[in-house]
Amino acid sequence: MTLISLLLVLLVERVTTKSKYWQAKFYTDKYLQSIQSQGWFNSSSKSWVLALIIFVPVIIVYLVVQKFAGGLLELIISTAILMICVGCPAIRATYKCFLQAANRGDLQACSMYEDQINGDNKETVSFGLSLVWQNYRHYTAVILWFAACGAAGVILYVLIRELDSRLSNDNDPVGNQVKRLLNIVDWIPVRITALGFLLVGHFSRAFPTWLGYLPDPAVQAKTLLLDVSKKAEEIEPDESDCTEEPCTLVRLAKRNVMFLLVIIALLTLTGWIS
């Protein structure tokens, strides 16, 4: 069922534009706003409050899915949750507009679209690397959590990710706790994703970087992934073509997603994944 859900969702996500009701941000924003409006969650909240906010929805989803385990309803519920949680239509639309502007030769518009995705990281992270990071956060990590833990795992990852985005500008204990949680839930998925980059990209160049980061528990997921992706794909500098770097790295990320789907298919056939 895991493989069927993944294939269905990725196919539909590729050929359609999802409304706000099929986007995780719509529901996480409403959920977190309702909690904050009740005064249950703020910068001085205890760790157990944060744990409740994250794990109550996860447990509810787990119990609902288990109630219909093995049946058609489980497939429908899990697929619907995955459909909501995977992808980021806003970033896809911005990238598409960037390519259209580049084809027109409108470099000012290209720069504007780059700023929308890069945010404050434009000086330190290239546009292509930002796309690789967003692909990981909205596709690869979600896919890996779904393959490992089903719909409940997806809810866990997405809630922590969105909490981190919401508290990114708050230098408070809760924000730091969420960052630590996100680093924990990213620890294995980001290393699997980076390993995929080795296997679908330039293995000999990227392997020493990946191996050096492998046992380091303190390295940030973003640092690891971007450093490995830079080594895994050779990009010829071309000042006249602003699409060369982002398009090359996006192709690397897409190849990696396809590679992971093949691995999940093999694990499904051998009985490791249901």
Side-chain angles (χ1 to χ4, degrees), residues 194 197-198 202-211 228-229 231-232:
F197 284 163
L198 308 183
H202 200 303
F203 183 89
S204 60
R205 288 183 58 202
F207 180 70
T209 303
W210 179 81
L211 189 62
V228 172
S229 64
K231 298 289 186 179

Side-chain angles (χ1 to χ4, degrees), residues 20 23-37 41 84 158-159 161-167:
K20 66 178 181 179
Q23 297 180 39
K25 186 172 176 56
F26 175 77
Y27 295 101
T28 55
D29 282 351
K30 284 192 172 296
Y31 172 60
L32 296 175
Q33 285 169 7
S34 65
I35 289 173
Q36 288 179 318
S37 66
F41 180 62
I84 290 170
V158 169
L159 263 178
R161 184 193 71 197
E162 294 302 319
L163 266 171
D164 178 66
S165 297
R166 195 177 183 87
L167 301 172

Side-chain angles (χ1 to χ4, degrees), residues 253-271:
K254 287 181 176 179
R255 290 201 307 272
N256 191 40
V257 169
M258 293 303 299
F259 170 74
L260 292 175
L261 286 177
V262 170
I263 298 301
I264 291 171
L266 292 175
L267 292 174
T268 302
L269 290 173
T270 55

